[in-house]
């Protein structure tokens, strides 16, 4: 099922010539096929719209060299003609009525995983570079718990939240996908090179930029759409009011995937972007189980209800509660006194006392009753 | 406009005889009037439903004594026949199809304020007794800022969040209302007696329980409906998963007032109840301005947009951004190089450079261009 070399060369050429996102080029390729499109672009024999996206670099035909450089770096070119292309996740691009949110022309990938398989159950965890200890802790916990639950953690390998999420997944041997904004032969940020190598060894490192490409600012933003698209949902863990993570969030929203955010202290600027998303339309999540429930298989991935504290008075009916409240903690009283105190008739008081005694909530001594004390609560 | 003494005596009698909430008694009083209802109940000449709520205590006619005890404690009885009765806030009880959510038969009040006036613009701030330093800080800040904005802060005078909210309002001389679950001649909790006296001196201390009544557990829950009803909205600041604050929240929801919650760290059990409310239907609020916007006058009490960090590249168009990204930070390059790097035509590059130079984002030297460096960001 190997993809034709000619297609690989055509897509490698297109990925270098058209700076992503290249909506017109994408449509042209979809219409005439990668090989014919590459031919036409190389000759300059294309519409004005496609020319606008391709004329500056159309003579830079480095396809062979790029494929070789990628191979030397352990990467390969994944193309839509390949069975492990993530057609299903990328179908969300069709939903987004935006020229910025388009499927890539191909992806340089490094690692043993199949992108289609890894994204069958995947969640993006993204957030601030400038994260707090709280955010790092939550992202790492989420990464670990999602991976343990069989989800692939998708993120951008950045300093801060991204790195913590990847590391959480790696810590339990779970697959994780890092989408980079530079060429497949580069690692960015440099301080994460060991982590990125580990991801490449067990999961996948993915990029739509050709070998040698540097991570320009614009590319981080464009890259974010791939993080959002490869996952069923995106969780933002800490984000300042204006941040790349908010861009990924708005991509997730536009792509129709599940947008989630983790809250934090309202006194923390690092959580202000999350709170803004939550005030708008994001779903608040406080655990991996809640993330899985929101993104998972219907009726299967339900979060267990949160454990609730139990009280000895649970299950008492209204009258039993009133009598229990009326019972004095020290000096015992008779049924008549309890009737006035509780506002109930004496028969109702007697009936309630039977149940309260059965539950060891009331103490009976010579026709008088008192409460079995427990600490007061809210 | 003094209320007839006979009505005051009748309502004082009813408040002692019928343990709140007493929906059947309330309906009976609404139908025949307080004086006739009290007469009939005293005689035992009432329907089975009303009898169920009143028979145990109907012979306890302490009306005169209760009025005297209240007066001795500086309290007075406020009744629906009084012009300062909060008819408008209590109209929400008509919305709630629940026998637990009914208007009180009267209120013992202590303090200089008019309950009707104080509740024209009022917000309830409630939460955990077992609050964290974070929660106390937020509640106190909210209390202060809401009071400064002319809102009355309503709460339950409890240890923890309630007390912090009251104190925040008191700190700026703002009016605040404490709704207690005990008689008007008592203070609970005892450790808040000085605070409750300050509230009585400047705002209002309110209760539907007769003089001498102790704050039984059941009464805290029943009292919570009054906190919710007296305010246009309820803010929960920290609440455990099962707590009185969540009861107040569910009352606010049932009464159709605005339900809000303050988020906190997902690692904090004290915020778990807030997060549960936010996952359901509560509005996330992170500041007093957001609370006021949600509960305030339409089009007047709008929260100012949050300040957003500004960047020198704000307002650049797509092509200008691409060229700016392509500009090398050190070794300057010519227009042809920039065209290939950015993927744009040379004319577009030249046009973008004019604007980038005007904004001091690009530096021009002998036909070559480089970036004016600024620190990288997300």
């Amino acid at each position: 099922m190997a993809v034709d070399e000619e297609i690989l060369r055509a897509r490698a050429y297109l990925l270098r010539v058209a700076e992503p996102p290249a909506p017109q080029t994408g449509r042209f390729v979809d219409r005439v096929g990668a090989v014919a499109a590459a031919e036409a672009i190389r000759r300059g024999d294309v519409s004005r719209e496609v020319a606008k996206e391709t004329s500056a670099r159309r003579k830079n035909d480095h396809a062979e060299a790029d494929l070789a450089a990628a191979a030397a770096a352990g990467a390969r070119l994944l193309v839509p003609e390949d069975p492990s292309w993530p057609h299903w996740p990328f179908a969300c691009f069709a939903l987004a009525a935006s020229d910025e949110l388009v499927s890539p022309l191909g992806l340089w990938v490094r690692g043993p995983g199949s992108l289609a398989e890894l994204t069958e159950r995947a969640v993006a965890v993204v957030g601030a570079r400038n994260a707090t200890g709280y955010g790092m802790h939550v992202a790492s916990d989420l990464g670990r718990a999602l991976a343990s639950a069989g989800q692939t953690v998708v993120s951008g390998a950045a300093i801060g939240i991204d790195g913590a999420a990847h590391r959480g997944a790696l810590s339990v041997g779970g697959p994780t996908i890092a989408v980079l904004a530079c060429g497949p032969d580069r690692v960015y940020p440099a301080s994460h090179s060991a982590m990125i190598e580990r991801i490449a060894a067990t999961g996948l490192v993915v990029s739509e930029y050709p070998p040698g490409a540097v991570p320009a600012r614009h590319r981080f933003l464009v890259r974010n759409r791939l993080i959002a698209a490869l996952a069923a949902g995106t969780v933002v863990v800490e984000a300042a009011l204006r941040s790349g993570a908010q861009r990924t969030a708005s991509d997730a929203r536009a792509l129709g995937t599940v947008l989630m955010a983790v809250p934090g202290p309202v006194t923390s600027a690092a959580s202000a972007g999350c709170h803004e998303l939550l005030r708008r339309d994001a779903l608040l999540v406080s655990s991996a189980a809640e993330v899985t429930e929101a993104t998972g298989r219907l009726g299967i991935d339900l979060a267990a209800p949160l454990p609730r504290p139990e009280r000895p008075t649970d299950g008492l009916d209204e009258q039993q509660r009133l009598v229990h409240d009326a019972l004095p903690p020290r000096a015992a009283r008779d049924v008549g006194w309890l009737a006035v105190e509780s506002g109930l008739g004496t028969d109702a008081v007697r009936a309630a006392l039977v149940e309260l005694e059965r539950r060891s909530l009331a103490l009976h001594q010579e026709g008088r009753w008192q409460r079995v004390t427990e600490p007061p609560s809210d």
Side-chain angles (χ1 to χ4, degrees), chain A:
Chain A
M1 284 278 285
V3 175
D4 198 286
E5 287 291 330
E6 208 184 358
I7 294 177
L8 288 177
R9 274 196 306 271
R11 296 251 177 206
Y13 166 80
L14 292 167
L15 279 170
R16 177 165 290 277
V17 166
E19 178 75 23
Q24 303 299 337
T25 306
R27 269 171 224 143
F28 183 47
V29 170
D30 287 346
R31 206 169 63 240
V32 305
V35 175
E39 279 296 318
I41 288 168
R42 206 178 279 116
R43 289 194 315 266
D45 181 17
V46 291
S47 70
R48 230 179 104 247
E49 290 73 29
V50 174
K52 218 173 150 192
E53 290 174 1
T54 56
S55 62
R57 300 186 193 147
R58 71 183 170 91
K59 288 176 185 160
N60 290 17
D61 191 350
H62 298 178
E64 296 282 359
D66 284 348
L67 286 162
R76 62 193 183 278
L77 180 58
L78 182 65
V79 294
E81 293 81 359
D82 190 294
S84 62
W85 181 259
H87 283 288
W88 174 244
F90 283 170
C92 65
F93 285 122
L95 280 175
S98 159
D99 270 0
E100 308 224 319
L101 297 175
V102 294
S103 192
L105 293 163
L107 288 170
W108 299 98
V109 301
R110 195 150 67 91
S114 148
L115 191 56
E117 280 173 26
L118 285 180
T119 53
E120 272 171 23
R121 296 188 70 203
V123 172
V125 179
V126 300
R129 284 159 218 258
N130 189 16
T132 68
Y134 164 68
M136 294 297 278
H137 170 77
V138 170
S140 162
D141 258 17
L142 269 183
R144 192 177 57 235
L146 287 168
S148 299
Q151 299 255 29
T152 300
V153 174
V154 184
S155 195
I159 306 291
I161 299 299
D162 288 18
H166 286 303
R167 285 202 173 91
L170 289 169
S171 74
V172 291
T176 179
I177 297 174
V179 185
L180 304 188
C182 58
D185 54 340
R186 296 193 165 227
V187 291
Y188 184 89
S191 59
H192 276 182
S193 56
M195 182 190 81
I196 293 170
E197 291 311 319
R198 277 189 65 199
I199 297 174
T202 57
L204 276 178
V205 176
V206 172
S207 161
E208 62 184 324
Y209 295 101
V214 296
R217 184 173 317 189
H218 173 256
R219 290 178 175 158
F220 286 113
L221 297 178
V222 169
R223 175 273 314 258
N224 288 349
R225 82 189 194 291
L226 299 181
I227 295 176
L230 288 170
T234 295
V235 184
V236 183
V237 184
E238 289 198 327
L241 275 180
R242 188 174 168 174
S243 61
Q246 282 197 311
R247 167 70 174 250
T248 312
S250 78
D251 287 352
R253 186 185 284 129
L255 294 170
T257 62
V258 182
L259 176 57
M260 295 159 278
V262 174
V266 296
T267 47
S268 167
S271 286
C274 289
H275 295 155
E276 192 178 51
L277 294 172
L278 290 168
R279 276 171 61 77
R280 190 168 164 191
D281 56 2
L283 173 69
L284 185 149
V285 287
S286 53
S287 68
E290 290 174 356
V291 172
T292 297
E293 180 176 88
T295 58
R297 296 158 295 186
L298 283 178
I300 297 176
D301 293 320
L302 294 172
L306 296 165
R308 307 181 99 73
E310 287 185 16
R311 301 210 181 110
T313 50
D314 283 353
L316 293 183
D317 68 21
E318 184 68 12
Q319 297 199 335
Q320 289 158 357
R321 256 174 227 282
L322 285 169
V323 174
H324 183 253
D325 276 353
L327 282 171
R330 279 174 293 270
R333 300 290 195 153
D334 64 18
V335 169
W337 187 93
L338 289 170
V340 171
E341 187 64 17
S342 64
L344 298 173
T346 50
D347 284 356
V349 170
R350 282 200 189 89
L353 286 169
V354 171
E355 176 62 15
L356 293 172
E357 191 177 24
R358 196 188 68 75
R359 291 188 180 223
S360 307
L361 291 168
L363 198 66
H364 187 204
Q365 282 181 318
E366 300 166 15
R368 289 168 173 265
W369 297 80
Q370 71 179 63
R371 185 184 301 189
V372 177
T373 9
E374 42 158 341
S377 85
D378 194 14

